[in-house]
């Protein structure tokens, strides 16, 4: 379905038809040369794998693993592990895959894939599209109810800073330490429709905004959380890709449990009204700068609390909705992965990323 073809009733029906509680994942992976650690073309690897779940992305060195629809977070991550293993096995001896939210060494812009999509984006956005060598972990969540989808959209939108802080894993760019826990959203912001998404008052407004802003190119609605009108899901896009599958699994299980709790609160009529976009954006900046070591402001009262305390409270609240405990998520808060990356430095980081990539 394209935004310029879909009225609000058609859009609603897409979100009503999904299977509640299902989940799908997308993970963006970079290929690099083993001798220089610079970007390497991915076309031959994608052709060798020859599976629709492993696709060429916009930069010529980037591939995407897209899972099937699953009933459990663990099963979805299992399919990501399969994808990582297939990519690693398909690489030539002089090429290795890494999971890095931003390439620690590469200068921008980079070469784009030879595709019609890349040509179209280059025509619209110029050099800025070649600077988008960024990789995220994207989580698709289905609710089987359009109104519930919109309710959870606004609740999850409030929590984007906490989730970004938890997953922040990109301190380096062009061989230097940026001083940020994640520089990825700064690079992404060179394109429009990035960052904290707008309040969506109704499906009518959403259909009209899509038609006005992107004129049918709904895939360019690039906010860090978006209703996806092709799949009828909420797509969470705020998370940095993680170096290891174990870290990915911890975060995905947490998000799945957190969303189950928000869904329960929606049906009980206990979700708060949407917060102003600029307040969430203020917290979002604190998250990308300081990660879990910073502070966030309460979106209603302005009271400052440590980001780690906010996350521990969210984990405690979500845990009853998880099939097993979330202690591995608490461990990511107590010992944030970005600090390990920063301690290695940009050059030592590259061989480590290659070593830990495969499951």
């Amino acid at each position: 379905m394209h935004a310029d073809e879909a009225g609000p009733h058609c859009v609603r029906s897409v979100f009503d038809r999904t299977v509640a509680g299902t989940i799908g994942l997308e993970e963006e992976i970079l290929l690099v040369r083993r001798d220089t650690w610079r970007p390497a073309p991915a076309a031959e690897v994608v052709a060798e794998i020859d599976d629709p779940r492993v696709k060429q992305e916009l930069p010529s060195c980037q591939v995407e693993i897209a899972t099937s629809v699953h009933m459990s977070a663990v099963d979805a991550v299992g399919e990501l592990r399969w994808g990582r293993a297939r990519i690693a096995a398909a690489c030539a001896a002089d090429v290795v895959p890494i999971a890095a939210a931003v390439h620690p060494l590469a200068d921008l812009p980079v070469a784009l894939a030879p595709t019609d999509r890349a040509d179209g984006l280059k025509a619209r956005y110029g050099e800025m599209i070649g600077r988008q060598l960024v990789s995220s972990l994207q989580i698709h969540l289905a609710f089987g109810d359009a109104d519930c989808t919109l309710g959870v959209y606004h609740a999850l939108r409030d929590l984007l800073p906490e989730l970004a802080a938890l997953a922040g894993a990109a301190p380096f760019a062009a061989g230097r330490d940026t001083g940020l826990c994640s520089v990825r959203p700064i690079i992404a912001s060179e394109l429009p429709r990035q960052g904290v998404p707008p309040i969506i008052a109704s499906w009518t407004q959403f259909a009209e905004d899509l038609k006005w802003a992107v004129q049918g190119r709904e895939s360019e609605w690039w906010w860090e959380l978006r209703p996806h009108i092709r799949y009828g899901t909420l797509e969470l896009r705020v998370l940095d890709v993680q170096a290891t599958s174990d870290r990915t699994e911890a975060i995905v299980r947490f998000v799945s449990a957190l969303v189950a709790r928000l869904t329960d609160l929606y049906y009980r009529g206990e979700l708060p009204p949407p917060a102003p976009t600029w307040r969430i954006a203020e917290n979002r900046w604190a998250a990308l700068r300081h990660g879990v070591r910073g502070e966030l402001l309460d979106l209603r009262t302005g009271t400052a609390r440590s980001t780690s305390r906010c996350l521990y409270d969210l984990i405690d609240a979500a845990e009853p909705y998880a099939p097993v405990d979330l202690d591995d998520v608490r461990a990511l808060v107590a010992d944030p992965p970005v600090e390990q990356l920063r301690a290695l430095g940009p050059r030592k980081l590259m061989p480590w990323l290659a070593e830990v990539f495969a499951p």
Side-chain angles (χ1 to χ4, degrees), residues 30-32 37-39 98 100-106 133 172-175 350:
L30 303 181
L31 300 190
V32 297
W37 303 114
R38 300 295 173 171
I98 62 170
V102 172
H103 190 296
L105 302 176
L133 187 59
F172 305 119
M350 297 300 290

Side-chain angles (χ1 to χ4, degrees), residues 295-324:
E295 290 186 335
L296 299 176
L297 303 179
D298 184 280
L299 293 171
R300 276 81 193 176
T301 68
T303 302
R305 300 179 66 217
S306 72
T307 305
S308 60
R309 183 70 265 161
C310 294
L311 278 163
Y312 285 133
D313 288 349
L314 285 176
I315 294 165
D316 290 345
E319 196 161 44
Y321 297 84
V324 297

Side-chain angles (χ1 to χ4, degrees), residues 16-352:
D16 281 333
R17 290 198 304 263
T18 57
V19 178
T22 51
I23 184 170
L25 306 175
E26 297 174 82
E27 185 178 53
E28 293 162 332
I29 302 301
L30 303 181
L31 300 190
V32 297
R33 301 185 189 281
R34 191 182 292 275
D35 56 349
T36 64
W37 303 114
R38 300 295 173 171
E44 290 186 7
V45 171
V46 173
E48 170 70 21
I49 295 171
D50 192 24
D51 189 295
R53 292 171 290 179
V54 179
K55 300 177 285 187
Q56 173 75 64
E57 256 294 353
L58 184 64
S60 66
C61 63
Q62 188 179 57
V63 297
E64 181 184 79
I65 307 167
T67 74
S68 310
V69 178
H70 291 274
M71 291 301 302
S72 84
V74 172
D75 289 346
V77 175
E79 193 169 0
L80 283 186
R81 293 181 191 272
W82 165 88
R84 285 196 180 202
R86 287 295 304 273
I87 291 169
C91 285
D94 60 342
V95 173
V96 292
I98 62 170
V102 172
H103 190 296
L105 302 176
D107 294 319
L108 302 176
V110 296
L112 300 179
T115 63
D116 291 342
R117 176 173 179 256
D119 290 344
L121 289 170
K122 180 69 178 294
R124 285 194 290 282
Y125 300 109
E127 179 184 302
M128 293 304 104
I129 204 67
R131 297 178 60 81
Q132 299 305 304
L133 187 59
V134 291
S135 298
S136 62
L137 168 65
Q138 298 154 25
I139 306 179
H140 286 264
L141 303 145
F143 302 88
D145 179 330
D147 291 333
C148 177
T149 303
L150 211 52
V152 176
Y153 166 83
H154 291 113
L156 202 54
R157 176 176 166 274
D158 286 2
L159 300 176
L160 291 175
E162 286 89 339
L163 296 174
L166 176 67
F172 305 119
R176 70 184 189 281
D177 191 327
T178 65
L180 305 175
C181 283
S182 179
V183 70
R184 182 176 67 88
I186 301 299
I187 297 171
S189 69
E190 295 175 344
L191 293 177
R193 298 176 299 281
Q194 300 282 345
V196 178
I199 293 172
I200 300 175
S202 67
W203 289 114
T204 298
Q205 178 211 318
F206 180 61
E208 291 174 351
D209 285 351
L210 278 181
K211 187 173 182 179
W212 182 89
V214 295
Q215 301 176 27
R217 299 186 299 270
E218 68 276 0
S219 64
E220 294 176 33
W221 190 259
W222 284 314
W223 306 105
E224 293 184 328
L225 176 69
R226 67 181 182 185
H228 198 296
I229 65 171
R230 186 184 309 166
Y231 303 134
T233 59
L234 284 187
E235 183 186 5
L236 182 67
R237 300 163 53 83
V238 76
L239 304 166
D240 283 359
V241 73
Q242 299 299 299
T244 72
S245 294
D246 286 347
R247 291 175 183 173
T248 299
E249 181 174 326
I251 291 171
V252 172
R253 286 193 297 103
F254 168 53
V255 169
S256 179
L258 177 64
V259 167
R261 177 176 184 269
L262 296 178
T263 302
D264 191 19
L265 293 177
Y266 167 79
Y267 284 114
R268 286 157 49 185
E270 297 178 10
L271 290 179
T277 301
W278 76 269
R279 294 188 181 186
I280 304 172
E282 187 77 10
N283 279 347
R284 179 69 179 92
W285 171 258
L288 72 87
R289 172 68 175 92
H290 299 292
V292 303
R293 303 300 191 198
E295 290 186 335
L296 299 176
L297 303 179
D298 184 280
L299 293 171
R300 276 81 193 176
T301 68
T303 302
R305 300 179 66 217
S306 72
T307 305
S308 60
R309 183 70 265 161
C310 294
L311 278 163
Y312 285 133
D313 288 349
L314 285 176
I315 294 165
D316 290 345
E319 196 161 44
Y321 297 84
V324 297
D325 68 59
L326 298 176
D327 286 346
D328 52 355
V329 189
R330 293 184 179 91
L332 295 180
V333 180
D335 186 17
V338 67
E339 295 180 359
Q340 178 188 14
L341 309 185
R342 180 162 273 138
L344 285 168
R347 298 193 181 278
K348 290 183 179 179
L349 176 58
M350 297 300 290
W352 180 83

